[in-house]
């Protein structure tokens, strides 16, 4: 599995086992999507996720609902953001109570 880390502060020489991408994220991901292989997963990075979804690079989004109530938290995407239509494509309920929801994304 190839691991890419999108960062403007990390240096490639400090992390030889991963590929550090500091600019041209769209070009890097477009080339990666065109290459043979499996799915591309993005973990964390709400601002990066927002920019990629706005550029039409993201096909699906999986959201995990964890049964803990918080009085504050980190938003999935920092605003302001465009509006996107989500269509439920699958779900899974775990014994722990966590629910994973998979949505297809379309502009709207």
């Amino acid at each position: 599995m190839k691991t890419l880390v999108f960062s403007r502060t990390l240096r490639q020489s400090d992390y030889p086992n991963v590929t550090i991408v500091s600019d041209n994220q769209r070009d890097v991901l477009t080339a990666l999507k065109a290459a043979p292989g499996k799915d591309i997963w993005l973990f964390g990075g709400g601002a990066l996720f927002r920019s990629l979804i706005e550029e039409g690079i993201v096909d699906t989004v999986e959201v995990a609902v964890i049964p803990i109530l918080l009085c504050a938290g980190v938003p999935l995407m920092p605003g302001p953001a465009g509006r996107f239509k989500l269509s439920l494509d699958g779900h899974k309920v775990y014994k722990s109570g966590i629910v994973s929801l998979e949505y297809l994304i379309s502009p709207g």
Side-chain angles (χ1 to χ4, degrees):
M1 175 177 21
K2 186 174 184 176
T3 302
L4 287 83
V5 175
F6 292 83
S7 173
R8 291 187 178 99
T9 59
L10 299 178
R11 294 186 326 224
Q12 182 65 61
S13 60
D14 294 334
Y15 301 92
N17 296 328
V18 301
T19 301
I20 305 294
V21 179
S22 58
D23 55 8
N24 300 321
Q25 294 94 342
R26 185 179 205 285
D27 296 340
V28 170
L29 285 172
T30 300
L32 191 59
K33 281 182 74 170
K38 298 195 179 226
D39 295 334
I40 301 168
W41 285 74
L42 170 67
F43 289 97
L48 176 61
F49 175 61
R50 182 180 129 200
S51 69
L52 298 176
I53 197 171
E54 288 175 343
E55 292 186 38
I57 295 175
V58 180
D59 302 318
T60 62
V61 60
E62 290 185 27
V63 178
V65 178
I66 301 170
I68 298 174
L69 294 177
L70 302 174
C71 295
V74 177
L76 183 62
M77 287 193 312
R83 187 177 199 111
F84 298 91
K85 183 178 180 184
L86 302 178
S87 301
L88 186 63
D89 190 47
H91 70 282
K92 185 171 183 179
V93 178
Y94 296 90
K95 290 180 183 180
S96 64
I98 295 173
V99 178
S100 175
L101 305 166
E102 182 176 345
Y103 294 95
L104 299 175
I105 300 174
S106 59

